[in-house]
Amino acid sequence: MTTEITRTVRVHADDVEANTRRGGDIRTTLSPRTTGCTSGFGGVLTLAPGEHVTEHYHPYSEEFLHLVTGRLEMTMDGQAVPLGPGDSLLIPIGVRHRLVNTGTETAHAAFHLSPLAPRPDLGHVDTEQVSRPEQPNPAVGGAS
């Protein structure tokens, strides 16, 4: 038995707008907005040396992070977790987390959050001033 694909499910990172609100270059490639998915969203993150993603938490979603290149440090509820290429990290629901590139090269990571929050505005809770407050939150789609 074969399954017919009836909608676009492949999205390239260059096809979505970068979001830099919390720092870095975050591109949400797979989301209700881009593919019609219903269980979560994910994408790619690029962080230059010394750059960071401001602290926040997700009241409804777990976050999965996989580091492809570079060196990062994730601080989770005040505890530092160093990450190198090939490392994957689970950030549980409700855990405050902040990510910084501690290395000398640009870091590249993939992320996924699931399940979706009941509304997009409930997806992230910032716990420190965001890097670029003039930028909107990433538009992932879903229920409003």
Side-chain angles (χ1 to χ4, degrees):
M1 178 179 187
T2 61
T3 302
E4 181 180 343
I5 298 174
T6 59
R7 66 177 189 256
T8 302
V9 294
R10 179 181 176 265
V11 179
H12 192 279
D14 290 341
D15 295 337
V16 296
E17 186 175 341
N19 188 283
T20 59
R21 178 178 173 80
R22 289 180 183 85
D25 178 318
I26 300 171
R27 296 177 188 248
T28 302
T29 53
L30 302 174
S31 71
R33 181 178 185 184
T34 60
T35 66
C37 62
T38 60
S39 64
F41 70 93
V44 294
L45 163 69
T46 303
L47 272 181
E51 201 170 24
H52 70 276
V53 175
T54 55
E55 187 184 80
H56 61 282
Y57 68 93
H58 311 283
Y60 294 94
S61 307
E62 295 177 312
E63 182 171 357
F64 306 87
L65 180 75
H66 178 77
L67 185 57
V68 178
T69 63
R71 298 262 169 218
L72 299 176
E73 183 176 278
M74 178 71 81
T75 302
M76 298 171 45
D77 281 346
Q79 181 177 350
V81 179
L83 301 168
D87 283 338
S88 294
L89 182 67
L90 168 67
I91 301 103
I93 293 171
V95 171
R96 293 165 62 128
H97 54 285
R98 184 179 201 273
L99 189 62
V100 63
N101 183 335
T102 56
T104 58
E105 66 178 284
T106 298
H108 300 276
F111 65 90
H112 178 79
L113 285 89
S114 181
L116 290 171
R119 295 191 328 254
D121 61 308
L122 298 176
H124 284 79
V125 176
D126 294 308
T127 54
E128 73 174 307
Q129 178 65 41
V130 296
S131 299
R132 294 176 186 87
E134 72 281 358
Q135 277 230 330
N137 279 314
V140 299
S144 296

